[in-house]
Amino acid sequence: MDKVIIGDNLGKALSQELNLPFISVVDRVFADGELQPRLEKEGKFAQAILIIQKKQKEDINAYLIKYLLLLRKIKDLSEQTIAIMPYFPYARQDDVFQEGEPLSSLYIAELIEKNADIFITCNMHEHRKKIGDLFKIPVYNVFVFKDLAERFKDYSSVDSVVIGPDEEAKLFVDDFCEDFLATKIVIRKNRDFKTGKVSFIYPENMAERLKGKDVIIVDDIISTGNTILETALAIKEFEPRTISFAIVHSIFGDVVMDQLAVVNPKRIVFTNTLENSHYTVDIVKPIARNLLEKKII
Ligand code: R5P
């Protein structure tokens, strides 16, 4: 076989999108937790693309081990291996914050690139390290905020305000607004490390800019939900007409939906980089687009 896609449900969808053959991965977990993933069938390939999504009930470390075992297996079968992890685990551990800690994001990248020729992920958290600082092999960070913005096509540009909850989110706001005309606002968040209390620093005229408007809060990751919930509660004070959320990676999946309900959101838009039953943006299309545009396949 020349080219093949190996993976799970996302792999199958990608193979259909690109019209390429597909080999599925069969999961097996032993009683002690050890993993033995298996390719449904073997072969010799010129190019193999491995894409697997972390499942909702799956431990992130089990996902990682499974992925690494498969990559190593595929290295024996394929001349070139393209590793696609829609969500790159450990990306937020991109610095040594306290003496003695591992620089986890770099070490995970080193494990991946041992057996992959190209690495692709979506909106990798790039706060302190860029994706190119972690990997020595060619890497592609697929930005999907424009795809999230598509879901707000029915919003009026005059009434929409896109808000980033912290300075790092400026990039996300800009990306989101590339084809979506709206007022852009980035706020600054301060947390008192002793009391845990959060306060916000706003640009001028917030009340004037937000009253009666349709606010969309954008961020790359929702984990505990605290960041965007605290932002939304603070924004609510300025009496916007509606509040919506647009987030790429929903780490705790469905659990966060109940938390966000407190602010009665008009719309919540997530992708399926990690499995969750509420996603509205399928990551397969932007990944396929990227593979073709960058002439990777
Ligand atoms: C922070 O730098 C990220 O961009 C997210 O704001 C953060 O990871 C969200 O985490 P949580 O939902 O736990 O507040």
PDB file of all heavy atoms in Angstrom, residues 92 125 127 166 172 219-227, ligand 1:
ATOM      1  N   ARG A  92       1.017  22.332  28.431  1.00  0.00           N
ATOM      2  CA  ARG A  92       1.045  23.432  29.399  1.00  0.00           C
ATOM      3  C   ARG A  92       2.240  23.340  30.347  1.00  0.00           C
ATOM      4  O   ARG A  92       2.568  24.296  31.020  1.00  0.00           O
ATOM      5  CB  ARG A  92      -0.280  23.484  30.175  1.00  0.00           C
ATOM      6  CG  ARG A  92      -1.411  24.024  29.313  1.00  0.00           C
ATOM      7  CD  ARG A  92      -2.722  24.029  30.032  1.00  0.00           C
ATOM      8  NE  ARG A  92      -3.163  22.674  30.356  1.00  0.00           N
ATOM      9  CZ  ARG A  92      -4.259  22.397  31.048  1.00  0.00           C
ATOM     10  NH1 ARG A  92      -5.014  23.369  31.505  1.00  0.00           N
ATOM     11  NH2 ARG A  92      -4.607  21.151  31.274  1.00  0.00           N
ATOM     12  N   HIS A 125      -0.929  24.663  22.863  1.00  0.00           N
ATOM     13  CA  HIS A 125      -0.758  25.719  23.853  1.00  0.00           C
ATOM     14  C   HIS A 125       0.688  26.228  23.752  1.00  0.00           C
ATOM     15  O   HIS A 125       1.613  25.513  24.092  1.00  0.00           O
ATOM     16  CB  HIS A 125      -1.020  25.086  25.219  1.00  0.00           C
ATOM     17  CG  HIS A 125      -1.161  26.052  26.326  1.00  0.00           C
ATOM     18  ND1 HIS A 125      -2.305  26.781  26.533  1.00  0.00           N
ATOM     19  CD2 HIS A 125      -0.310  26.402  27.303  1.00  0.00           C
ATOM     20  CE1 HIS A 125      -2.145  27.543  27.592  1.00  0.00           C
ATOM     21  NE2 HIS A 125      -0.941  27.337  28.078  1.00  0.00           N
ATOM     22  N   HIS A 127       2.290  29.055  25.128  1.00  0.00           N
ATOM     23  CA  HIS A 127       2.495  30.240  25.961  1.00  0.00           C
ATOM     24  C   HIS A 127       3.967  30.596  26.146  1.00  0.00           C
ATOM     25  O   HIS A 127       4.376  31.712  25.936  1.00  0.00           O
ATOM     26  CB  HIS A 127       1.804  30.080  27.313  1.00  0.00           C
ATOM     27  CG  HIS A 127       0.332  30.344  27.209  1.00  0.00           C
ATOM     28  ND1 HIS A 127      -0.458  30.615  28.279  1.00  0.00           N
ATOM     29  CD2 HIS A 127      -0.468  30.380  26.128  1.00  0.00           C
ATOM     30  CE1 HIS A 127      -1.699  30.814  27.858  1.00  0.00           C
ATOM     31  NE2 HIS A 127      -1.720  30.659  26.565  1.00  0.00           N
ATOM     32  N   ASP A 166      -7.201  36.394  28.809  1.00  0.00           N
ATOM     33  CA  ASP A 166      -5.883  36.805  29.309  1.00  0.00           C
ATOM     34  C   ASP A 166      -5.012  37.246  28.138  1.00  0.00           C
ATOM     35  O   ASP A 166      -5.412  37.106  26.976  1.00  0.00           O
ATOM     36  CB  ASP A 166      -5.198  35.681  30.126  1.00  0.00           C
ATOM     37  CG  ASP A 166      -5.189  34.363  29.374  1.00  0.00           C
ATOM     38  OD1 ASP A 166      -5.056  34.386  28.139  1.00  0.00           O
ATOM     39  OD2 ASP A 166      -5.320  33.310  30.015  1.00  0.00           O
ATOM     40  N   PHE A 172      -5.644  34.290  19.900  1.00  0.00           N
ATOM     41  CA  PHE A 172      -6.873  33.537  19.596  1.00  0.00           C
ATOM     42  C   PHE A 172      -7.955  34.505  19.106  1.00  0.00           C
ATOM     43  O   PHE A 172      -8.703  34.199  18.184  1.00  0.00           O
ATOM     44  CB  PHE A 172      -7.389  32.773  20.827  1.00  0.00           C
ATOM     45  CG  PHE A 172      -6.339  31.996  21.577  1.00  0.00           C
ATOM     46  CD1 PHE A 172      -6.427  31.822  22.953  1.00  0.00           C
ATOM     47  CD2 PHE A 172      -5.269  31.433  20.907  1.00  0.00           C
ATOM     48  CE1 PHE A 172      -5.459  31.111  23.643  1.00  0.00           C
ATOM     49  CE2 PHE A 172      -4.291  30.718  21.586  1.00  0.00           C
ATOM     50  CZ  PHE A 172      -4.390  30.555  22.964  1.00  0.00           C
ATOM     51  N   ASP A 219     -11.045  30.881  24.017  1.00  0.00           N
ATOM     52  CA  ASP A 219      -9.822  30.406  24.675  1.00  0.00           C
ATOM     53  C   ASP A 219      -9.397  29.099  24.010  1.00  0.00           C
ATOM     54  O   ASP A 219     -10.198  28.465  23.319  1.00  0.00           O
ATOM     55  CB  ASP A 219     -10.068  30.206  26.182  1.00  0.00           C
ATOM     56  CG  ASP A 219      -8.783  30.368  26.996  1.00  0.00           C
ATOM     57  OD1 ASP A 219      -7.694  30.528  26.401  1.00  0.00           O
ATOM     58  OD2 ASP A 219      -8.854  30.323  28.238  1.00  0.00           O
ATOM     59  N   ASP A 220      -8.133  28.713  24.217  1.00  0.00           N
ATOM     60  CA  ASP A 220      -7.673  27.486  23.568  1.00  0.00           C
ATOM     61  C   ASP A 220      -8.124  26.235  24.329  1.00  0.00           C
ATOM     62  O   ASP A 220      -8.509  25.244  23.719  1.00  0.00           O
ATOM     63  CB  ASP A 220      -6.140  27.492  23.372  1.00  0.00           C
ATOM     64  CG  ASP A 220      -5.357  27.633  24.665  1.00  0.00           C
ATOM     65  OD1 ASP A 220      -5.942  28.031  25.700  1.00  0.00           O
ATOM     66  OD2 ASP A 220      -4.133  27.354  24.657  1.00  0.00           O
ATOM     67  N   ILE A 221      -8.077  26.314  25.669  1.00  0.00           N
ATOM     68  CA  ILE A 221      -8.344  25.113  26.467  1.00  0.00           C
ATOM     69  C   ILE A 221      -9.366  25.427  27.547  1.00  0.00           C
ATOM     70  O   ILE A 221      -9.309  26.489  28.174  1.00  0.00           O
ATOM     71  CB  ILE A 221      -7.052  24.636  27.168  1.00  0.00           C
ATOM     72  CG1 ILE A 221      -5.984  24.270  26.138  1.00  0.00           C
ATOM     73  CG2 ILE A 221      -7.321  23.454  28.080  1.00  0.00           C
ATOM     74  CD1 ILE A 221      -4.644  23.891  26.742  1.00  0.00           C
ATOM     75  N   ILE A 222     -10.291  24.505  27.765  1.00  0.00           N
ATOM     76  CA  ILE A 222     -11.097  24.585  28.971  1.00  0.00           C
ATOM     77  C   ILE A 222     -10.811  23.311  29.761  1.00  0.00           C
ATOM     78  O   ILE A 222     -10.918  22.201  29.246  1.00  0.00           O
ATOM     79  CB  ILE A 222     -12.594  24.782  28.663  1.00  0.00           C
ATOM     80  CG1 ILE A 222     -13.378  24.861  29.966  1.00  0.00           C
ATOM     81  CG2 ILE A 222     -13.171  23.737  27.757  1.00  0.00           C
ATOM     82  CD1 ILE A 222     -14.763  25.423  29.795  1.00  0.00           C
ATOM     83  N   SER A 223     -10.372  23.515  30.997  1.00  0.00           N
ATOM     84  CA  SER A 223     -10.002  22.355  31.799  1.00  0.00           C
ATOM     85  C   SER A 223     -10.942  22.301  33.006  1.00  0.00           C
ATOM     86  O   SER A 223     -11.987  21.664  32.950  1.00  0.00           O
ATOM     87  CB  SER A 223      -8.538  22.523  32.190  1.00  0.00           C
ATOM     88  OG  SER A 223      -8.136  21.510  33.032  1.00  0.00           O
ATOM     89  N   THR A 224     -10.643  23.036  34.076  1.00  0.00           N
ATOM     90  CA  THR A 224     -11.591  23.081  35.198  1.00  0.00           C
ATOM     91  C   THR A 224     -12.788  23.962  34.844  1.00  0.00           C
ATOM     92  O   THR A 224     -13.833  23.872  35.470  1.00  0.00           O
ATOM     93  CB  THR A 224     -10.929  23.702  36.439  1.00  0.00           C
ATOM     94  OG1 THR A 224     -10.525  25.027  36.107  1.00  0.00           O
ATOM     95  CG2 THR A 224      -9.733  22.904  36.893  1.00  0.00           C
ATOM     96  N   GLY A 225     -12.616  24.837  33.880  1.00  0.00           N
ATOM     97  CA  GLY A 225     -13.689  25.778  33.507  1.00  0.00           C
ATOM     98  C   GLY A 225     -13.572  27.094  34.259  1.00  0.00           C
ATOM     99  O   GLY A 225     -14.273  28.049  33.955  1.00  0.00           O
ATOM    100  N   ASN A 226     -12.666  27.163  35.243  1.00  0.00           N
ATOM    101  CA  ASN A 226     -12.572  28.366  36.085  1.00  0.00           C
ATOM    102  C   ASN A 226     -12.265  29.625  35.275  1.00  0.00           C
ATOM    103  O   ASN A 226     -12.868  30.666  35.491  1.00  0.00           O
ATOM    104  CB  ASN A 226     -11.483  28.200  37.155  1.00  0.00           C
ATOM    105  CG  ASN A 226     -11.924  27.211  38.210  1.00  0.00           C
ATOM    106  OD1 ASN A 226     -13.108  26.934  38.330  1.00  0.00           O
ATOM    107  ND2 ASN A 226     -10.982  26.657  38.959  1.00  0.00           N
ATOM    108  N   THR A 227     -11.311  29.541  34.355  1.00  0.00           N
ATOM    109  CA  THR A 227     -10.874  30.740  33.628  1.00  0.00           C
ATOM    110  C   THR A 227     -12.033  31.410  32.895  1.00  0.00           C
ATOM    111  O   THR A 227     -12.299  32.592  33.081  1.00  0.00           O
ATOM    112  CB  THR A 227      -9.758  30.387  32.618  1.00  0.00           C
ATOM    113  OG1 THR A 227      -8.693  29.791  33.345  1.00  0.00           O
ATOM    114  CG2 THR A 227      -9.253  31.615  31.870  1.00  0.00           C
TER     115      THR A 227
HETATM  116  C1  R5P B   1      -4.278  29.124  30.126  1.00  0.00           C
HETATM  117  O1  R5P B   1      -3.196  29.575  29.903  1.00  0.00           O
HETATM  118  C2  R5P B   1      -5.134  28.514  29.064  1.00  0.00           C
HETATM  119  O2  R5P B   1      -5.156  29.288  27.889  1.00  0.00           O
HETATM  120  C3  R5P B   1      -6.550  28.289  29.593  1.00  0.00           C
HETATM  121  O3  R5P B   1      -7.097  29.558  29.921  1.00  0.00           O
HETATM  122  C4  R5P B   1      -6.537  27.398  30.811  1.00  0.00           C
HETATM  123  O4  R5P B   1      -5.790  26.237  30.558  1.00  0.00           O
HETATM  124  C5  R5P B   1      -7.951  27.017  31.183  1.00  0.00           C
HETATM  125  O5  R5P B   1      -7.918  26.212  32.327  1.00  0.00           O
HETATM  126  P1  R5P B   1      -9.140  26.170  33.329  1.00  0.00           P
HETATM  127  O6  R5P B   1     -10.383  25.819  32.549  1.00  0.00           O
HETATM  128  O7  R5P B   1      -8.777  25.093  34.316  1.00  0.00           O
HETATM  129  O8  R5P B   1      -9.253  27.505  33.986  1.00  0.00           O
END
